[in-house]
Amino acid sequence: MNTVTLHMGGRQWATLIGLSLLWGGSFFFVDIAVRELSALWTVALRVLIASTVMAAFMALTGRLNASVLPLTPKLAGEFLVMGFLSNALPFTLIAWGQIQIASGLASMINAATPIFTMIVAGLLLADERFTLLRILGAIVGAVGVGTMIGPSVLDAASTPLLPQLACLSATLSYAFGTVFGRRFTNAGLDPQAIALGQLLGSTALLVPLVLVLEGPIDIARLSEATVGAIGALSIASTALAYLLFFRLLAEAGATNTVLVTLLVPVSATALGVVFLAEPLIEYQLVGVTIVAFGLSLIDGRLWRRRAAAAGTPRTG
């Protein structure tokens, strides 16, 4: 395996924030889409449209060729695995869960992804071993997200358990998918090629499956809101988001990249305040502060500098 230098500089943090905005919107778009579509059709359309847009973009920019995307049988098989772990399975679990639970709760559960990814990466990747700061940071960040979303979504009496377990299982699938994806970035494969290969893999799995299980749908009968939600979900929250994701994965590593899941609920709250005039409640401000603290722990640079200045040993 090639040795890579993993870091979180200003560009990486800007990419992370942009990615959180795109994926924060995905929970909102899914919430609209599943009012008229099944979870499986929502996800199948999402990856089908996203892969088509991605392929068209690469063709227009002259990058849809064998030198950028050498689609050998081995690589095609790896893309099927990647598409299953990072798209087909988790997208379907979350979309099915959002039929029964609030999108805010789904996004909060999604914040468990850094914890699972840190564990999986620590076990499987030589350059992302466990550190005390990373462990503490992931736990603190998850607590902050829970604080920001608020206590109402944790009412077990009114919230079914199975959809929550489905969303939690999706975070474990994301963790394995993120770690599996490092083989592509370590091999120097173009981020656009990785994104397209993953989307093609998930499309090849989902479209035949949904046609067999549920049959075709009449897209012309869908409402404008549903069509718009599917379009935004596919183009912005999937195609564009994965371009940013794989670039960040190559530069910052799996553990740092999945910090985005801690920022997604923050982004959702900010978008609601700015565009929907939703009130910013005090506990949300507290939650944002806790999340920021957790991110600083996982990033580690500030704390290492403080430790060095104090002449104490490094802890992460």
Side-chain angles (χ1 to χ4, degrees):
M1 183 175 66
N2 294 337
T3 301
V4 292
T5 301
L6 307 176
H7 67 285
M8 287 289 286
R11 186 178 69 179
Q12 287 73 35
W13 278 108
T15 302
L16 191 76
I17 293 170
L19 188 56
S20 76
L21 291 171
L22 293 173
W23 274 343
S26 71
F27 289 92
F28 172 72
F29 299 135
V30 166
D31 219 17
I32 295 174
V34 295
R35 296 174 187 176
E36 289 190 79
L37 293 168
S38 69
L40 202 55
W41 261 116
T42 296
V43 176
L45 288 173
R46 176 180 185 177
V47 296
L48 174 62
I49 296 170
S51 59
T52 302
V53 170
M54 181 72 69
F57 173 77
M58 290 183 66
L60 288 172
T61 55
R63 301 182 64 77
L64 192 62
N65 53 63
S67 63
V68 176
L69 183 60
L71 204 57
T72 63
K74 179 179 181 294
L75 188 59
E78 291 177 338
F79 279 142
L80 283 173
V81 174
M82 187 68 175
F84 174 76
L85 291 173
S86 293
N87 290 161
L89 181 59
F91 283 2
T92 303
L93 288 171
I94 291 173
W96 179 81
Q98 281 192 241
I99 295 175
Q100 304 172 73
I101 64 174
S103 59
L105 177 55
S107 69
M108 190 188 80
I109 294 172
N110 196 53
T113 301
I115 299 174
F116 284 120
T117 303
M118 182 181 59
I119 294 171
V120 175
L123 292 172
L124 299 180
L125 298 179
D127 58 352
E128 297 203 36
R129 295 305 185 193
F130 299 111
T131 68
L132 177 61
L133 286 179
R134 283 183 170 182
I135 294 171
L136 290 176
I139 294 172
V140 169
V143 170
V145 172
T147 302
M148 189 191 64
I149 296 297
S152 60
V153 298
L154 300 177
D155 184 2
S158 61
T159 306
L161 178 61
L162 194 56
Q164 296 180 72
L165 292 177
C167 292
L168 189 62
S169 298
T171 68
L172 182 58
S173 185
Y174 279 139
F176 278 102
T178 300
V179 171
F180 188 83
R182 279 289 302 278
R183 70 182 55 218
F184 302 119
T185 57
N186 287 344
L189 202 61
D190 187 277
Q192 293 181 21
I194 302 172
L196 177 58
Q198 172 181 303
L199 289 168
L200 289 174
S202 55
T203 300
L205 293 170
L206 283 169
V207 172
L209 180 65
V210 73
L211 287 173
V212 169
L213 294 180
E214 301 184 7
I217 58 170
D218 185 359
I219 297 179
R221 299 187 64 178
L222 298 178
S223 67
E224 291 183 1
T226 299
V227 172
I230 288 293
L233 181 66
S234 304
I235 298 170
S237 296
T238 306
L240 177 57
Y242 273 121
L243 287 177
L244 298 179
F245 174 81
F246 282 109
R247 181 174 291 115
L248 189 62
L249 184 62
E251 295 175 353
T255 301
N256 285 326
T257 298
V258 295
L259 294 180
V260 68
T261 58
L262 296 177
L263 289 174
V264 163
V266 179
S267 300
T269 300
L271 289 171
V273 170
V274 174
F275 295 105
L276 301 177
E278 293 177 350
L280 186 59
I281 304 171
E282 290 180 358
Y283 63 72
Q284 293 174 332
L285 292 173
V286 174
V288 169
T289 303
I290 296 174
V291 168
F293 179 63
L295 291 174
S296 74
L297 287 172
I298 296 178
D299 179 57
R301 287 179 296 174
L302 174 63
W303 302 95
R304 287 193 292 269
R305 289 170 185 166
R306 288 174 63 89
T312 58
R314 290 172 58 170
T315 59

